[in-house]
Amino acid sequence: MSELLKRAGWNLLEFLRRAVTPFVLCLLFGMTMFAVSGIETPELKYLLMAALFVLTFVTVFLLMRSMGEFAYKIKVTSEKRSQGLPGGLDLEKEKIKYHPGKEYRHYKGFVIGLFVCLIPIIFTIIDVTLHSGGARLAYAMTAGWAIMPVLVINKNASLLFCFIPCAIQIVVCGVGFILGGKKEEARQRELDERAETVSRVKGEKKH
């Protein structure tokens, strides 16, 4: 039981660690959206807001795809080491402390996306229940990517609509992570096929 709790704790820490970078990226884009919301020219404001909204998800997608690739490399390294085979990452050289929580799993990108969305989800619940102006300001400054597009469209809109950007974020994180894993899986398959071909050719030459 203690081993299970320990492993769950490590996995939770790994999810939090991986969520930090996409959260910071979203924070920066959100703060920019907050600043853009003060532009008085409606057309320019809408155009910039839409561009920033799309760029937020594109940037996070590329980051999560890279994370998926790296996580799959960790998985391959672990599998090959357990089989006594060469290949994969040189964990010591890369100064990477191995833990099973670092390995690739299909669901992990979605969980990371959920962690990225925790603050906007919490602030949305607070706003809907308490209608606090201070909480809404804090929301706009820390997770503008989720709230500003809604308020720009309609400043009187229910913040429940903020769950839409959050849902998009979770899907983007999950899909990006999976595609990164698939890309690395294909690369590893190609490397294995090359190694088998080289080994077969060497064997034929010996005969």
Side-chain angles (χ1 to χ4, degrees):
M1 184 66 178
S2 60
E3 184 63 28
L4 184 63
L5 290 174
K6 184 178 179 181
R7 183 167 183 174
W10 271 106
N11 286 335
L12 180 62
L13 286 173
E14 184 64 21
F15 286 133
L16 285 170
R17 186 183 70 81
R18 293 192 184 191
V20 168
T21 305
F23 174 81
V24 171
L25 284 173
C26 289
L27 174 65
L28 295 175
F29 276 108
M31 292 176 70
T32 307
M33 288 183 188
F34 182 65
V36 165
S37 67
I39 296 176
E40 294 183 358
T41 308
E43 294 80 5
L44 179 60
K45 179 168 63 177
Y46 295 147
L47 179 62
L48 289 175
M49 192 68 69
L52 288 167
F53 186 71
V54 172
L55 281 172
T56 301
F57 297 117
V58 170
T59 305
V60 170
F61 172 82
L62 294 174
L63 174 65
M64 292 304 300
R65 189 177 66 177
S66 177
M67 282 190 187
E69 289 180 40
F70 184 76
Y72 199 89
K73 287 179 182 177
I74 295 287
K75 178 184 177 183
V76 169
T77 300
S78 173
E79 291 174 349
K80 290 194 173 183
R81 281 192 169 192
S82 65
Q83 297 170 8
L85 298 173
L89 291 170
D90 188 338
L91 299 179
E92 288 73 21
K93 184 178 179 180
E94 299 288 340
K95 296 181 180 179
I96 300 170
K97 186 176 181 181
Y98 171 78
H99 185 272
K102 295 179 183 289
E103 291 185 16
Y104 173 85
R105 296 291 183 274
H106 288 86
Y107 65 88
K108 287 188 174 181
F110 297 101
V111 178
I112 294 170
L114 179 61
F115 274 71
V116 173
C117 294
L118 279 181
I119 286 182
I121 289 173
I122 291 171
F123 271 123
T124 298
I125 294 171
I126 291 173
D127 185 88
V128 170
T129 54
L130 301 179
H131 305 286
S132 169
R136 180 168 288 200
L137 178 61
Y139 189 170
M141 295 181 68
T142 57
W145 62 271
I147 185 175
M148 295 315 302
V150 174
L151 294 182
V152 165
I153 294 172
N154 185 349
K155 63 181 181 180
N156 297 317
S158 169
L159 292 199
L160 288 174
F161 285 106
C162 295
F163 285 136
I164 296 175
C166 289
I168 295 173
Q169 186 74 270
I170 292 171
V171 171
V172 166
C173 287
V175 172
F177 195 81
I178 289 173
L179 291 180
K182 293 293 184 184
K183 181 180 177 182
E184 182 59 26
E185 181 183 18
R187 193 182 77 88
Q188 291 292 335
R189 189 183 303 116
E190 184 179 346
L191 289 174
D192 289 341
E193 289 174 355
R194 285 181 184 178
E196 289 178 6
T197 300
V198 170
S199 178
R200 185 170 62 253
V201 170
K202 286 183 177 179
E204 290 174 354
K205 286 183 177 180
K206 287 181 179 180
H207 291 86

